[in-house]
Amino acid sequence: MSQTMETVKKPGRQMTGRPKPRGSLRRGENVWGILFVSPMLFGVIILVLFPILATLVLGFADWNFVQGWDGIQWVGFQNFRHLLEDDIFLKSVRNNLIFLLTVPIYMMISMLLAILIDRFVYMKGYFKVAYFMPYISNIVAVAVVWQVLFQPSYGPINEILRTIGISNPPKWIADPNFALISIMLISIWISIGFNLIIYIAGLQSIPKDLYEAADIDGANGWTKFRRITLPLLSPTSFFLLVTGVISTFKVFDIIAVMTQGGPIGSTTMMVWYLYDTAFVNLKVGYASSIAAVLFGFVMLITLGQWAAQKKWVNY
């Protein structure tokens, strides 16, 4: 018995043409993506990558840019060998390493203030703005204010010290033994505000349930800080530590305004010595070798922090 098979046609749209291959679509998206990021990409290449490469190359040359390109003389590693015998450069490295102590100091102060403001203080917005103002203030204005405060003869700080019985107070930025300490105090005062805001944001991201559970278990304030607050703030602390260490190697503006590296080179930092060598003494090749060493210091310290963060940072 024969049966006639009827083909059932399912309703649907009929394709008028072949679909485009996925590969061509992806290539089109990549082209448009490159076009959109190309302005920023060219800016990074021209303004960042090219100067870095040029600096590393010029570190092996003896060049005064006033002489033009014809004045370049390649000297190999002579600039780097000379750095090891340069007393001013070695002092600038030592000053930079001492200046690193400001980072943990203002981080601890900022964390303490952030906890107090976040939990025990009313008008939180006022205190946030008050502490953040030095960070966003003009550095020249800040320097002028602190120059008046540190004035050896009639400055407010020394007047207060004389009032409490110190007959011979320090001369601060005029004294080689206290000039670097003075700059460090100013840097701490400026940096507290930024770190404070970041720490408050980190505190507000900690779940309140953890503290409530700790209260039920009878934990005191120190235990809650050590077991909850400090570990959960470790990513924030790591971020501030990395950025803070990098910023200490870039200190320039406050020194340029207040001390110009003096007195007797006591506040000379690597960036200031680089600027003085390149744009005052016009030794571009030697300054480029300083920049290369500075880049190496920052890179090694940053990589060391990234390696150590696995042991103390809790994500």
Side-chain angles (χ1 to χ4, degrees), residues 237-253:
S237 299
F238 176 66
F239 166 75
L240 293 175
L241 181 64
V242 172
T243 56
V245 169
I246 293 175
S247 66
T248 58
F249 280 94
K250 300 191 300 180
V251 174
F252 172 80
D253 44 11

Side-chain angles (χ1 to χ4, degrees), residues 43-271:
V44 170
I45 293 174
I46 296 173
L47 300 177
V48 179
L49 296 181
F50 178 74
I52 290 175
L53 294 176
T55 300
L56 295 177
V57 172
L58 290 174
F60 299 95
D62 181 14
W63 181 44
N64 184 330
F65 61 80
V66 177
Q67 300 174 352
W69 296 109
D70 296 333
I72 297 179
Q73 296 180 0
W74 301 103
V75 295
F77 289 93
Q78 181 177 339
N79 288 332
F80 296 95
R81 287 194 294 265
H82 183 57
L83 287 177
L84 300 176
E85 303 172 356
D86 190 343
D87 294 334
I88 301 178
F89 172 74
L90 296 177
K91 180 178 286 189
S92 69
V93 174
R94 186 201 65 180
N95 290 340
N96 262 119
L97 295 178
I98 295 174
F99 205 84
L100 284 174
L101 296 176
T102 60
V103 179
I105 293 174
Y106 65 64
M107 284 180 61
M108 288 188 292
I109 296 174
S110 301
M111 182 185 295
L112 177 61
L113 290 174
I115 294 173
L116 293 176
I117 292 173
D118 185 59
R119 297 180 184 174
F120 306 108
V121 174
Y122 295 102
M123 299 175 61
K124 293 180 175 59
Y126 168 76
F127 286 97
K128 291 178 183 179
V129 173
Y131 280 105
F132 195 63
M133 282 300 295
Y135 184 78
I136 61 176
S137 298
N138 185 281
I139 193 64
V140 177
V142 170
V144 170
V145 170
W146 280 96
Q147 281 179 333
V148 174
L149 293 174
F150 281 139
Q151 213 285 334
S153 300
Y154 52 83
I157 294 178
N158 279 359
E159 289 294 331
I160 294 174
L161 294 177
R162 292 189 186 96
T163 302
I164 63 177
I166 300 176
S167 58
N168 189 21
K171 295 182 180 180
W172 302 110
I173 58 176
D175 188 345
N177 297 320
F178 286 91
L180 183 60
I181 296 175
S182 304
I183 300 297
M184 292 170 68
L185 291 174
I186 298 172
S187 178
I188 291 171
W189 179 75
I190 292 174
S191 303
I192 284 176
F194 174 76
N195 289 260
L196 172 71
I197 298 298
I198 302 299
Y199 269 128
I200 289 178
L203 287 171
Q204 293 176 348
S205 66
I206 298 176
K208 304 300 181 184
D209 299 343
L210 298 177
Y211 293 105
E212 295 174 358
D215 290 331
I216 295 173
D217 292 337
N220 56 25
W222 169 248
T223 301
K224 288 189 287 186
F225 172 77
R226 188 166 56 92
R227 297 294 187 181
I228 299 175
T229 306
L230 198 59
L232 294 182
L233 279 181
S234 58
T236 305
S237 299
F238 176 66
F239 166 75
L240 293 175
L241 181 64
V242 172
T243 56
V245 169
I246 293 175
S247 66
T248 58
F249 280 94
K250 300 191 300 180
V251 174
F252 172 80
D253 44 11
I254 191 69
I255 294 173
V257 176
M258 294 193 68
T259 62
Q260 292 80 46
I264 320 177
S266 58
T267 59
T268 298
M269 302 286 184
M270 294 181 68
V271 174

